[in-house]
Amino acid sequence: MDLNLWIPITVGLGLVTLILMFLFVKACDKV
Amino acid sequence: MWLLPILIVGTTVALSIPFGRYLAKIMDGRYTPPAPLRWIEARLNTGPQNWKQYTFAIIWFNTVMFLFGYLVLAVQPWMPLNQKDAAFPDGKGMLSPTTIFNTVTSFMTNTNLQHYSGEQHLSYFSQLLFIVWNMFVSAAVGFCALAAVIRGLRGDAHMGNYYLDMWRVVVYAFVPASILAGVLLIACGMPMTLEPSAEVQTLEPAAMGTDSVDGKDVAKPQVIARGPVAAVLPIKHFGTNGGGFFGANSAHPYENPSAWTNFIECVSILIFPFSLVIMFGRMLNQMRHAVVIYSVMMVMFVGMIYWAVHHDSLKPNLAVTARAPVLDDKGKPFVVEAFEKGPDGTLKKVQKEMPPGGVVALPVDSEGWGNLEGKELRFGPSAGATFSAVTTAVTCGSVNCMHDSLNPLAGITPMTGMMLNCVFGGKGVGMINMLVYLIIGVFLAGLMVGRTPEYLGRKVEAREMKLAMLALLIHPILVLGPTGLFAAMDWGQQATNNPGAHGYSEILYEFTSASANNGSGFEGLGDTYGFNDDKKNLSTPAPFSPYWDIATGLVMLLSRFIPIIAPLALAASLGAKKKTPFTSGTLRTDTVTFGFVLLSVVILIGALLFLPALALGPIAEHYGPIPFGG
């Protein structure tokens, strides 16, 4: 696998998902 | 046969009562720390946190864990303790980025789904710094979440402090337990060394092949992996992590040398989930209610063990009794020599038609064989089935037999444990999942009797139900959606190790395991890429493994945090309400009747959500032809 492509993609995927969890906290607050 | 599961369950129940009391004391802060630790605790305690602050702290902590873990695994080739041996003369290389992503999310979420083989792909440095660290703290995350939920339900002014809770769980619970268990396991023969793999010359020359040295063939040594196993194993089980040091996990003789270590490991897996129900009752001062929950969980747990042992240890392998006739090229049944017991008990050689399934009658007593495929017989006949029930009920995920080899109906036990995810469940999150079922149970019971549902004296209203449904439904969505997608695409179909219904079961099991944060698998599924440099891999990377890495990684992340965040909000919401006085009309949650209500709710909801998927997998396999659909 091309490390220059896949390392940023996989790190980014993890961070985006965790950011979504922050947003989910805010959503639960508004429920 | 039945002595082993009875001993395991009985010992754990007996230990869980005092241990649960101890855990309640620790989490309530009713202890005096030693002076050096007091200084550290004062620094860690950043002050009382409400539910949002507590949850943000959990997510921030896990974000740092993700980045740290990714870095450790990415720089593995250049770090110390990267032992060189005949199989890996240059040490271990760098894993592929998708394997790193999957491994980091897996250990961070306490899943320990291993799309790699421990002794082949990880150096001692990675095992000690990444694996062991994650095993301690990821296990503590769920524990801390439960403590916060309990404080919310109690109506406390705040939910505690996440960092202080994490410290308490790791330092006062996991570390002492791991040291004690580690010493016991070393005494039973588990390796604990930083020496590289042992290399031995085989008695049979060149049994491992040859290398060409100066134009001459030189016999390759056999490489026997070893390492700091006893550092990993205790927390692997106490933290219901499940990620093995070796690829064969607790079926490996170094991870599980004897029947005694098997017993110790089973009790280690169960002790924290059992004790946390007691802790729940103690902290809430609702011991009768906790006993009802404990009993409901125990009924399901004992049922799971019975089902697995009955269908796997007391029934032969299906291939032995398959009905397909075995015919020669003229269409007539094969006639073979076989042995039969005469009236006087002696064996006589006879000519007989080959029985269906092609199994010749062997000169042994085939009654009570059970299904021996994939089992480690040194533990006893029912150890594999029992361990499969134990490890999947509490989302541990370590295995001492190959779950892919379980008889089809026996395979329902591990799947059910993970699908329900509340039969004791993981430490902390199992009790949290049961809380969701409790809320739904009191809601349904309240509807049936025409009263406002209430739990622990607080009304359950629309907001609480919405949060409960969010927590409940994310799990089946993340199990069934990806399973259907992968079963329909080449990503899944080309990765399975068996055709038909059993192959479907492999896909279903993988996503159920990821979503339940269990980590076991119907292994044989082609989901391992390994090192990024293909030449360093001992086996060819599976072609669709990156799809599996990413899909299961995302499932693990979402299914870890959503069922923690929503119940934290729910507990805070309930705790903020005014307590209604207890009257004769209040639905009691500490009675046998409520126990039946709770049991029915769990089984009915579980059946509605997952029975169709089970019907397509293990049930179809049981009733289908041999070889399974084809």
Side-chain angles (χ1 to χ4, degrees):
Chain A
M1 288 183 182
D2 181 0
L3 296 179
N4 292 328
L5 177 68
W6 281 102
I7 289 181
I9 284 177
T10 48
V11 172
L13 204 52
L15 291 176
V16 162
T17 311
L18 289 163
I19 289 170
L20 279 175
M21 294 302 101
F22 282 108
L23 297 176
F24 184 72
V25 174
K26 291 194 183 298
C28 284
D29 200 29
K30 290 192 167 74
V31 159
Chain B
M1 183 73 65
W2 296 105
L3 181 61
L4 177 67
I6 291 170
L7 265 179
I8 289 169
V9 173
T11 307
T12 317
V13 168
L15 289 173
S16 68
I17 298 166
F19 197 52
R21 278 199 218 119
Y22 169 74
L23 293 175
K25 258 180 81 167
I26 296 300
M27 299 315 286
D28 269 338
R30 289 180 282 124
Y31 65 95
T32 309
L37 300 183
R38 208 177 303 146
W39 183 87
I40 299 174
E41 286 187 27
R43 302 270 136 352
L44 284 172
N45 187 358
T46 55
Q49 294 172 321
N50 60 28
W51 83 268
K52 274 199 292 187
Q53 290 167 326
Y54 202 100
T55 317
F56 281 144
I58 290 177
I59 303 173
W60 273 122
F61 189 84
N62 279 273
T63 305
V64 171
M65 276 170 64
F66 174 79
L67 293 169
F68 174 72
Y70 203 107
L71 180 68
V72 169
L73 290 185
V75 300
Q76 171 176 266
W78 301 284
M79 289 296 110
L81 295 179
N82 189 4
Q83 306 295 13
K84 298 174 174 44
D85 54 46
F88 298 99
D90 301 322
K92 307 292 194 296
M94 180 183 162
L95 297 169
S96 72
T98 56
T99 304
I100 294 177
F101 170 78
N102 184 275
T103 306
V104 173
T105 54
S106 172
F107 280 82
M108 182 183 115
T109 56
N110 199 239
T111 308
N112 292 208
L113 193 71
Q114 293 173 292
H115 287 181
Y116 67 90
S117 185
E119 70 269 44
Q120 282 188 34
H121 294 117
L122 290 189
S123 65
Y124 292 170
F125 180 84
S126 298
Q127 295 267 24
L128 289 172
L129 191 62
F130 169 73
I131 301 282
V132 172
W133 154 255
N134 267 278
M135 283 187 171
F136 276 97
V137 296
S138 69
V141 167
F143 199 139
C144 294
L146 176 64
V149 161
I150 292 171
R151 293 181 194 120
L153 290 175
R154 257 190 336 210
D156 287 6
H158 56 83
M159 281 181 145
N161 181 274
Y162 170 70
Y163 306 106
L164 183 60
D165 282 344
M166 166 73 60
W167 168 266
R168 283 170 175 165
V169 170
V170 171
V171 171
Y172 297 120
F174 285 143
V175 166
S178 297
I179 292 173
L180 176 64
V183 168
L184 285 175
L185 292 172
I186 290 172
C188 289
M190 188 171 288
M192 180 63 203
T193 177
L194 293 177
E195 292 293 315
S197 300
E199 293 181 11
V200 293
Q201 287 300 332
T202 52
L203 287 174
E204 183 187 338
M208 308 305 296
T210 55
D211 280 323
S212 182
V213 178
D214 297 329
K216 287 189 192 150
D217 283 334
V218 174
K220 278 188 191 175
Q222 181 179 1
V223 177
I224 302 175
R226 53 185 175 180
V229 185
V232 175
L233 261 286
I235 189 57
K236 166 187 154 190
H237 293 129
F238 282 125
T240 65
N241 288 282
F245 190 95
F246 302 103
N249 211 281
S250 283
H252 194 289
Y254 282 172
E255 279 204 34
N256 203 349
S258 67
W260 276 116
T261 54
N262 185 64
F263 172 77
I264 292 169
E265 290 181 17
C266 284
V267 172
S268 308
I269 292 172
L270 294 173
I271 186 66
F272 271 89
F274 279 37
S275 303
L276 283 174
V277 183
I278 307 290
M279 184 189 92
F280 178 84
R282 287 249 148 208
M283 286 178 75
L284 276 177
N285 200 19
Q286 296 268 349
M287 270 318 293
R288 283 178 56 121
H289 177 45
V291 166
V292 169
I293 297 172
Y294 199 104
S295 306
V296 167
M297 291 175 169
M298 188 59 71
V299 163
M300 291 190 282
F301 184 60
V302 167
M304 280 170 57
I305 292 180
Y306 175 81
W307 182 271
V309 173
H310 177 78
H311 285 287
D312 202 71
S313 307
L314 296 176
K315 298 266 165 75
N317 190 301
L318 271 192
V320 171
T321 57
R323 294 284 169 240
V326 182
L327 306 173
D328 62 17
D329 52 9
K330 293 193 179 92
K332 292 197 179 142
F334 277 109
V335 174
V336 295
E337 276 185 355
F339 291 90
E340 269 183 2
K341 261 191 194 163
D344 55 358
T346 56
L347 287 172
K348 290 186 169 58
K349 201 185 275 190
V350 297
Q351 301 280 328
K352 61 192 289 186
E353 285 182 359
M354 187 175 280
V359 172
V360 179
L362 297 174
V364 294
D365 180 5
S366 60
E367 292 295 317
W369 262 1
N371 173 17
L372 304 180
E373 181 191 317
K375 304 297 183 302
E376 291 293 309
L377 296 181
R378 64 178 182 278
F379 304 136
S382 60
T386 303
F387 204 107
S388 76
V390 162
T391 192
T392 48
V394 300
T395 74
C396 177
S398 70
V399 295
N400 77 348
C401 70
M402 292 300 112
H403 287 192
D404 204 26
S405 293
L406 291 171
N407 277 334
L409 289 185
I412 290 178
T413 279
M415 288 198 202
T416 301
M418 296 187 292
M419 286 168 174
L420 294 178
N421 218 6
C422 64
V423 183
F424 292 103
K427 344 117 308 297
V429 292
M431 190 58 232
I432 290 176
N433 290 335
M434 184 53 98
L435 174 70
V436 171
Y437 282 105
L438 275 164
I439 297 294
I440 294 170
V442 299
F443 182 76
L444 290 174
L447 286 180
M448 284 194 281
V449 301
R451 287 187 62 92
T452 307
E454 48 183 70
Y455 179 61
L456 300 178
R458 293 184 167 91
K459 287 193 187 338
V460 174
E461 294 171 310
R463 179 178 151 84
E464 288 76 41
M465 281 313 296
K466 285 179 198 167
L467 290 167
M469 294 319 293
L470 278 172
L472 178 75
L473 291 177
I474 193 64
H475 178 51
I477 289 171
L478 290 173
V479 170
L480 301 174
T483 299
L485 179 66
F486 272 65
M489 310 285 285
D490 276 347
W491 313 337
Q493 291 171 19
Q494 300 296 323
T496 54
N497 198 35
N498 289 277
H502 195 79
Y504 172 81
S505 292
E506 290 173 4
I507 300 172
L508 174 66
Y509 193 104
E510 185 77 357
F511 283 108
T512 307
S513 174
S515 182
N517 297 132
N518 180 272
S520 58
F522 264 17
E523 295 311 344
L525 194 66
D527 52 22
T528 296
Y529 193 101
F531 296 126
N532 198 49
D533 181 356
D534 289 352
K535 290 194 244 24
K536 286 189 185 285
N537 285 311
L538 297 181
S539 48
T540 316
F544 292 99
S545 48
Y547 295 83
W548 284 98
D549 284 338
I550 302 232
T552 52
L554 291 173
V555 165
M556 287 187 281
L557 279 174
L558 293 170
S559 64
R560 173 66 164 171
F561 295 109
I562 292 175
I564 285 178
I565 295 170
L568 276 168
L570 190 159
S573 175
L574 271 179
K577 294 185 183 198
K578 207 169 133 193
K579 238 179 161 170
T580 54
F582 180 84
T583 66
S584 57
T586 304
L587 174 70
R588 294 187 65 136
T589 54
D590 57 356
T591 58
V592 173
T593 309
F594 183 74
F596 279 108
V597 168
L598 183 60
L599 183 66
S600 309
V601 165
V602 172
I603 291 174
L604 278 170
I605 293 178
L608 283 169
L609 289 171
F610 295 111
L611 202 51
L614 291 174
L616 288 175
I619 298 174
E621 188 188 343
H622 175 73
Y623 287 112
I626 301 291
F628 317 114

